[in-house]
Amino acid sequence: MQRVLSLLVTVAFFTVTTLPAQAVTLLRDPDIEHALKQLAKPVLTAAGLSPSRVKILIIDDRTLNAFVIDSRHIFLHSGLVTKVKTAAELQAVIAHEAAHIANGHIARRMVNARSAKTVAGIGMALAAAAIAGGADSSAAGALGIGIASSASRAFMGHTRAEESSADQSALRFMVRGGVDPQGAVRLMQIFSGQELVSAARQDPYARTHPLSRDRLRHIKAIAEAYEGRTKANPNMDYWFSRAQGKLSAFQRAPKWTRKRAAESAGQDIRLMRLAVSYHRDSNTAKALKTMQQLLSLRPRDPFYHELHGQILLESRNVGRALKAYKTAISLAPKDALILGSYGHALLVSGNAKAALPMLEKSRARDGRDARVLRDLAQSYAKLKNPGMASLVTAERYALQGRMKDAGIHAKRAAGILPRGSTGWQRAQDVLLASEAAQKK
Ligand SMILES: [Zn+2]
């Protein structure tokens, strides 16, 4: 579990309080993202989209929302992931967003296609999404980005016609992907009633995706027509339980987690949740003992080795943490987030020289992990390369939607890096996005 701006050696959960209120925070965790990928695969494929090209990302926000800003990312609020009760409900969310992509509802929204491909573009769009989704006005002001609320609503919100077409397609994708269409009905029931709530108390989903009684009726009718076309899929239940189990283990009180760990869809998931809960209680001995049980049950699971590494690192067993991360990488050599964790551990151990190539490898594969960008800046600074340190700092601010700060650091980077070099070019991308954001 990685959070923006987490301190070097601390229990990740508590560092969230150090976040400035205005930052849009992506919650990056290799295990959760892998599980979400398994859940997304059947519906994305049914939608004619490539599961390896469309990434499901979680935003650290307790309200209910899901949205798309381009054709390569589906964003889910953590509140929605923990609120739904079944795999089919979560797959219904993904299918609906996939339908917005597949039906071409977002093409016209990407105001600046060039910057959308960069971290700066993602950050800018996320900031706009946060405002459209109803981030309070003080937070919106603090974003340092002048996108007017009405403009961003036009940018993010869907029309009723689009909602209806997305619902219809989503149900088709679900059935084609073997997902029970009743999941879409139950999801709508979670949102129903939102219409009647005052705008201030509505979840942002109601604002980005207009709700109506017609919509619920329509979804019910289609789901009924598909009745009996799908069967239960324990595999999907497993991945859902794993994603939700890990997310809640880091977000809910450890006691809450321990009370419910037995409800997990697998012995391994139960142990993982328990280990995290003990770790968060600073009961390292019990956390590590539980990890040993988990690893003997699943010795070839890279994500459990990664968690082992995190627990060791955060309890200051740096040497053993490095070993655990190495094992994780040997089992999943291409996982950007695991590479990033390993790079982080190397940096903590004082070895910036070894950390740098690992972090660069991670960034090249992903680029949306703020912690990797922060660690990279630190490595570059330690290795006496202030130009690159400024550049990745600029990119990190841009990713968080803090376009003004991003511009300041990008300007500094552009002044140091050789004109025309790749780094200099990247600094120009951030500068352009920052200027565009402040002009609006
Ligand atoms: Zn929608």
Side-chain angles (χ1 to χ4, degrees), residues 301-303 305-306 323-333 338:
D301 189 310
F303 308 107
H305 285 284
E306 196 266 351
K323 254 177 94 180
Y325 284 129
K326 243 182 168 163
T327 309
I329 285 184
S330 72
L331 294 165
I338 297 180

Side-chain angles (χ1 to χ4, degrees), residues 96-97 100 158 163 205 209:
H96 181 91
E97 298 308 317
H100 280 309
H158 294 289
E163 282 313 283
Y205 189 88
H209 306 258

Side-chain angles (χ1 to χ4, degrees), residues 207-281:
R207 270 165 279 174
T208 51
H209 306 258
L211 300 165
S212 64
R213 264 180 220 107
D214 279 353
R215 219 187 132 190
L216 179 59
R217 229 185 343 251
H218 185 216
I219 291 174
K220 269 187 176 159
I222 309 174
E224 252 163 55
Y226 283 130
E227 192 75 53
R229 295 264 297 269
T230 56
K231 44 179 190 253
N233 187 341
N235 209 14
M236 291 298 122
D237 296 339
Y238 172 84
W239 289 115
F240 172 71
S241 174
R242 189 157 163 173
Q244 199 181 51
K246 189 163 185 191
L247 187 60
S248 64
F250 272 97
Q251 297 206 313
R252 305 296 296 253
K255 259 191 191 154
W256 184 96
T257 297
R258 284 196 285 276
K259 222 183 255 170
R260 287 160 183 84
E263 298 161 10
S264 308
Q267 209 41 249
D268 58 321
I269 300 173
R270 183 182 74 86
L271 290 168
M272 175 262 285
R273 295 172 73 181
L274 288 176
V276 172
S277 82
Y278 295 133
H279 175 52
R280 288 195 44 222
D281 269 346

Side-chain angles (χ1 to χ4, degrees), residues 1-4 16 19 22-29 32-33 36 56-69 73-82 122-123 125-131 156 204 247 251 399:
M1 178 76 44
Q2 306 170 9
R3 285 169 192 272
V4 178
V16 73
L19 279 173
Q22 69 270 28
V24 180
T25 308
L26 293 177
L27 264 177
R28 307 299 311 273
D29 179 83
I32 295 172
E33 289 186 13
L36 291 176
I56 317 291
L57 290 168
I58 298 184
I59 292 177
D60 188 15
D61 191 318
R62 306 288 168 102
T63 64
L64 309 181
N65 200 9
F67 59 88
V68 283
I69 50 176
H73 304 91
I74 292 175
F75 293 94
L76 309 176
H77 278 193
S78 55
L80 184 55
V81 179
T82 47
I122 294 174
L126 278 179
I131 301 167
M156 297 306 306
L247 187 60
Q251 297 206 313
L399 181 66

